[in-house]
Amino acid sequence: MTADSPVPDDHPLPSVVGAGLDPLGDLVLTVRGSKFSPTPDYELPLVVSLDDASVMLGMYPSDGLVLAQADNYPVPVIKLGTQYRVATAHLIRALGLEEVRIAIRNEG
């Protein structure tokens, strides 16, 4: 810890999550290890399918669908016609950035 910073020297600085465009022009969440990084360390989709979100949250996709239809899903869902999506930001709040990043990387 220095006089200039209340954060201990051995404490990792939190990642900075923002929005940006990927090379194809799609809007994505950008994650930087530091707000001073010129480029993102990696990108995450803005939303994921209800099935993928359910697995991340530790439930079967069919159970996730039942909960979403009953408005009892553990995080907010977005209904698009007959389909559901979950904002990646809500999953990050519920599970943590690293867990969501690993889950999305393993699915993709």
Side-chain angles (χ1 to χ4, degrees):
M1 189 173 335
T2 65
D4 300 335
S5 172
V7 178
D9 292 333
D10 61 344
H11 186 277
L13 293 174
S15 296
V16 177
V17 180
L21 296 176
D22 70 5
L24 298 175
D26 294 325
L27 190 60
V28 293
L29 292 177
T30 58
V31 182
R32 290 179 168 84
S34 163
K35 66 180 177 181
F36 302 111
S37 297
T39 59
D41 296 331
Y42 55 92
E43 299 171 341
L44 297 171
L46 291 178
V47 296
V48 297
S49 70
L50 184 71
D51 288 354
D52 290 344
S54 297
V55 171
M56 285 184 221
L57 291 165
M59 66 180 93
Y60 292 109
S62 58
D63 293 339
L65 179 59
V66 169
L67 289 172
Q69 290 171 334
D71 290 327
N72 288 326
Y73 202 75
V75 297
V77 297
I78 303 164
K79 186 172 183 185
L80 301 168
T82 60
Q83 298 182 355
Y84 292 90
R85 297 286 184 262
V86 177
T88 303
H90 292 303
L91 292 170
I92 291 170
R93 277 192 216 110
L95 300 171
L97 178 60
E98 190 63 13
E99 189 168 332
V100 171
R101 180 187 72 81
I102 290 168
I104 288 174
R105 183 183 69 201
N106 290 338
E107 291 167 6

